[in-house]
Amino acid sequence: MSCLLLGVIRRRGGVRASVGVRSLASIPSLPPAVADFVKGAVEECKPAGVHVVTGTPEETANILAGLEKEGMVKKLPKYENCWLARTDPKDVARVESKTVIVTKNQRDTIPIPSGGVKSTLGSWMSEADWQKARMERFPGCMAGRTMYVIPFSMGPVGSTLSKYGVQVTDSPYVVASMGIMTRMGTPVLQKLAEGVDFVRCQHSLGRPLPLKAPLVNSWPCNPDKVLISHLPDTRQILSFGSGYGGNSLLGKKCFALRIASRIAKDEGWLAEHMLILGITNPQGVKRYVAAAFPSACGKTNLAMMKPALPGWKVECVGDDIAWMKFDSQGKLRAINPENGFFGVAPGTSDKTNPYAMSTISKNTVFTNVGETSDGGVWWEGLDPPASGITLTDWHGKTWKQGSSTPCAHPNSRFCTPASQCPIIDPQWESEEGVPIDAIIFGGRRPEGVPLVYETFNWRHGVFVGAAMRSESTAAAEHKGKVIMHDPFAMRPFFGYNFGDYLTHWLSMETRKAPTQLPKIFHVNWFRKDPSTGAFLWPGFGENARVLEWIFKRCGREREDEAARKSIIGWLPENGAIDTKGLGSKVDMGALFDLPKPFWQKETQELRAYFTQQVGADLPPQVEAELKVLEDRVRG
């Protein structure tokens, strides 16, 4: 299985190896730059041994067997090669309050907010404070544990759009999950041996052995000391204290968004919190679309949609992250840098997302979902289990329908290989990426925002992305349902100053090279009837009706084709959205109503937000777009 280093002593039956760390003179199997990074991490963290991950199936099986032995995962006999992990209840989501960007100057990371308000566009930490925080956490943090060295690729190995990373971690759960979420192991080491740049990722659970206090749920973590830190200038990520999801799978939000957005700014491309889908009409014409929604707004459901319109086909390239770069012809090309789906389980069902359900039926790691007595999984949104089958909740306690607490944690997850998705796009691993015709922004807006509209032009589209707001979600530690600003669905993920990010997006219009800019749209599946509180639009597969209009608008010959101008953008003209066969009566008038008081309040809210949060860093073009919107709303 292994490439255990530094004087190997194998111990049967598990993955932990007892390895002398004294003989650090050479790590011959690693390229020099990687060896230097690993050597520095070993000297700081003092692991009992080092294991270089090869990514073979035998190695993965060994990792999982070791996790099972330690009580960190449980095999689910109902499915093929599926596993259940239950975390410490204090380690269940991204921790935005403990996630920082470290740069010399604060303004490189965040706009300086006005009037003493706290920035919501990222957390900056000074280099001196960070050094101190590092010294309080990392020295000796891996004592008694194995350090795994994970060489990984974000994007297909060898693609000009891909980037590489090396993560050191003391969590075998992270190794198992990174094996699903990234291309990992020997093929990447071969690429690194050619001398390509890589992002240095250092992760520790922060629970050296012997333990000073017992673990909860056999899940090592150190919630009081959690710190997820990013050093964009040196392309480094150091994460401490959390074993969960985006805090520990450093290829995901940390690298693919925070660090990659900064690399993209430096290199002239875009790293975005977007799904990518291909949609084919009944005549066989195909277009690709990228869409940015905040967490829990249905990104995965849209990316794997089963269209309700006959003859239309949707195929999935990715459900969460898009890296996009203009090619020599000026076409924006996108890749999904990930290799798996890390989806929110509750609400996923055969009704809402049948393709996700079939994707997760094998080779999947589930975390914090409920468990059935016949060795399966369960969560809110699934049909109740068959009679005689009992449920255990995410705490490991017996659970009954009607209980006051949920069976699955609201942010419980499945981690599953993308290649298993029955509608994975044939081009999903294309090295040059897929050509993007449309970019869609969206959020969860119960009132005032129409089902769909198209922006007037690229600059207006950038403004609409900057103005995005949505009800908050369970993917982070926010409480309750408040409407939060979430520009570009990137608010928790900007790797640099949001004002500079907007300038970067605007600059795409003035590139020297040929440029075919995608059209930009905004959608809202979540508008409610104010009198009943019921959703006005059925959503899910019926969203294909909205995609059909977007598809047609991408190929339009005149500006007002199937559209009418409104104060906020181009709305579909009456009858332009196909409603044939919609099960229930849908009030299209209510879905496209633009109440003046709502939009007056919205523009006031946006002006206050831009003034307080972005201030002097707001590009004049965005300020000008707000001004003309205010004028249109007043007029």
Side-chain angles (χ1 to χ4, degrees):
M1 95 182 208
S2 71
C3 216
L4 283 166
L5 301 171
L6 321 177
V8 179
I9 308 160
R10 295 196 184 176
R11 201 169 73 206
R12 298 178 65 162
V15 290
R16 184 161 299 129
S18 114
V19 173
V21 187
R22 286 180 299 282
S23 55
L24 256 176
S26 68
I27 301 181
S29 60
L30 294 177
V34 179
D36 284 351
F37 166 55
V38 171
K39 191 174 165 186
V42 166
E43 286 170 359
E44 181 173 31
C45 303
K46 304 281 190 285
V50 176
H51 171 85
V52 175
V53 173
T54 58
T56 63
E58 300 75 37
E59 179 188 61
T60 306
N62 275 326
I63 293 272
L64 287 161
L67 280 165
E68 189 173 31
K69 201 173 164 195
E70 287 173 30
M72 279 183 77
V73 302
K74 190 173 179 181
K75 199 164 188 6
L76 292 163
K78 193 172 175 179
Y79 321 111
E80 182 192 333
N81 191 32
C82 286
W83 304 79
L84 172 63
R86 291 191 183 105
T87 72
D88 183 317
K90 291 182 172 168
D91 192 21
V92 294
R94 281 187 290 104
V95 192
E96 286 177 22
S97 54
K98 309 282 181 66
T99 302
V100 300
I101 310 264
V102 183
T103 49
K104 201 179 275 323
N105 302 308
Q106 184 175 354
R107 203 166 169 184
D108 292 339
T109 295
I110 48 172
I112 308 304
S114 68
V117 297
K118 186 181 181 327
S119 175
T120 60
L121 290 164
S123 294
W124 174 75
M125 187 180 258
S126 71
E127 291 174 340
D129 285 350
W130 179 76
Q131 276 300 350
K132 184 167 171 276
R134 180 179 187 168
M135 291 308 294
E136 287 168 0
R137 287 168 175 78
F138 280 100
C141 64
M142 295 187 188
R145 298 189 183 275
T146 298
M147 175 190 280
Y148 298 91
V149 179
I150 308 172
F152 66 97
S153 176
M154 300 308 292
V157 178
S159 164
T160 54
L161 289 159
S162 296
K163 298 285 175 192
Y164 302 93
V166 176
Q167 176 166 346
V168 297
T169 179
D170 52 5
S171 167
Y173 168 90
V174 166
V175 181
S177 303
M178 287 286 282
I180 296 170
M181 293 306 300
T182 70
R183 286 95 176 158
M184 171 184 98
T186 308
V188 181
L189 262 189
Q190 288 159 356
K191 201 76 200 153
L192 291 166
E194 296 169 19
V196 295
D197 287 341
F198 64 95
V199 172
R200 289 156 174 78
C201 308
Q202 184 169 313
H203 168 253
S204 175
L205 300 165
R207 292 300 295 268
L209 298 174
L211 291 170
K212 291 191 171 68
L215 299 179
V216 179
N217 275 347
S218 306
W219 181 265
C221 63
N222 190 339
D224 299 334
K225 287 277 194 171
V226 167
L227 185 67
I228 298 103
S229 55
H230 307 72
L231 285 72
D233 293 332
T234 49
R235 315 296 198 228
Q236 280 174 283
I237 303 159
L238 286 94
S239 170
F240 186 91
S242 170
Y244 193 82
N247 303 329
S248 65
L249 312 180
L250 301 185
K252 198 162 179 55
K253 309 294 195 191
C254 296
F255 180 162
L257 289 178
R258 295 189 192 98
I259 295 292
S261 65
R262 171 60 196 278
I263 297 173
K265 172 181 174 272
D266 294 346
E267 296 181 356
W269 49 281
L270 300 166
E272 300 298 330
H273 188 205
M274 292 182 180
L275 66 91
I276 309 164
L277 63 82
I279 180 163
T280 307
N281 73 5
Q283 291 71 47
V285 179
K286 185 169 192 176
R287 295 187 185 280
Y288 287 95
V289 171
F293 303 152
S295 299
C297 288
K299 270 204 311 295
T300 303
N301 290 345
L302 184 63
M304 299 186 200
M305 183 210 286
K306 194 172 192 173
L309 284 179
W312 286 79
K313 181 165 76 171
V314 165
E315 289 164 301
C316 175
V317 177
D319 78 326
D320 196 37
I321 296 172
W323 286 0
M324 303 185 287
K325 194 185 250 178
F326 287 98
D327 67 14
S328 56
Q329 267 64 62
K331 193 75 193 170
L332 191 62
R333 295 261 173 189
I335 62 165
N336 166 16
E338 300 191 288
N339 195 44
F341 303 124
F342 187 69
V344 173
T348 305
S349 68
D350 285 325
K351 177 184 172 288
T352 61
N353 197 334
Y355 296 130
M357 292 302 290
S358 92
T359 305
I360 62 181
S361 61
K362 60 181 184 187
N363 304 319
T364 297
V365 177
F366 296 93
T367 303
N368 289 342
V369 299
E371 182 187 2
T372 61
S373 56
D374 61 344
V377 291
W378 194 86
W379 49 75
E380 282 65 21
L382 292 178
D383 291 334
S387 68
I389 303 290
T390 57
L391 287 169
T392 303
D393 72 7
W394 69 280
H395 293 287
K397 297 191 171 72
T398 304
W399 188 88
K400 288 191 167 54
Q401 297 282 351
S403 165
S404 60
T405 57
C407 183
H409 186 276
N411 192 42
S412 55
R413 298 280 175 160
F414 53 77
C415 180
T416 193
S419 58
Q420 291 178 186
C421 177
I423 56 157
I424 199 75
D425 193 273
Q427 294 298 303
W428 88 280
E429 294 194 283
S430 151
E431 289 192 0
E432 62 273 12
V434 297
I436 299 296
D437 284 326
I439 289 170
I440 302 173
F441 295 123
R444 200 175 261 275
R445 297 302 303 267
E447 59 172 319
V449 179
L451 179 62
V452 61
Y453 63 98
E454 183 186 344
T455 63
F456 293 125
N457 49 47
W458 182 259
R459 185 183 292 191
H460 179 224
V462 173
F463 165 76
V464 167
M468 275 171 67
R469 299 172 72 205
S470 187
E471 274 186 349
S472 64
T473 86
E477 80 274 38
H478 301 292
K479 300 279 184 287
K481 302 219 163 177
V482 287
I483 306 274
M484 291 175 64
H485 286 272
D486 196 346
F488 289 76
M490 281 284 284
R491 183 195 55 75
F493 310 121
F494 292 119
Y496 62 100
N497 182 308
F498 172 55
D500 296 339
Y501 169 95
L502 289 173
T503 301
H504 182 58
W505 263 79
L506 290 163
S507 75
M508 299 299 147
E509 200 173 21
T510 53
R511 294 170 75 247
K512 300 277 185 285
T515 305
Q516 302 166 44
L517 293 169
K519 296 185 168 42
I520 298 179
F521 299 81
H522 188 283
V523 299
N524 174 28
W525 319 132
F526 301 99
R527 194 161 179 177
K528 290 180 175 174
D529 180 329
S531 56
T532 65
F535 288 118
L536 286 167
W537 179 249
F540 304 113
E542 304 298 355
N543 293 337
R545 299 168 188 277
V546 174
L547 291 186
E548 178 190 33
W549 182 74
I550 289 172
F551 187 101
K552 284 180 176 161
R553 291 288 291 169
C554 288
R556 66 170 189 246
E557 282 170 13
R558 20 169 257 283
E559 209 175 21
D560 62 353
E561 204 172 301
R564 60 190 170 90
K565 207 168 195 172
S566 78
I567 55 171
I568 60 168
W570 292 99
L571 297 176
E573 67 185 7
N574 292 340
I577 295 223
D578 181 354
T579 55
K580 280 196 299 291
L582 260 180
S584 53
K585 182 83 182 82
V586 171
D587 186 343
M588 298 304 279
L591 274 166
F592 287 100
D593 182 35
L594 302 176
K596 207 164 182 179
F598 172 88
W599 281 96
Q600 283 168 335
K601 195 163 165 249
E602 187 79 357
T603 52
Q604 286 162 7
E605 179 58 53
L606 283 170
R607 181 155 293 282
Y609 176 72
F610 288 151
T611 303
Q612 287 177 357
Q613 288 291 330
V614 200
D617 292 324
L618 188 72
Q621 302 96 312
V622 177
E623 157 70 34
E625 286 295 337
L626 176 58
K627 177 84 181 68
V628 294
L629 176 61
E630 287 169 333
D631 293 346
R632 290 195 300 263
V633 168
R634 265 202 303 273

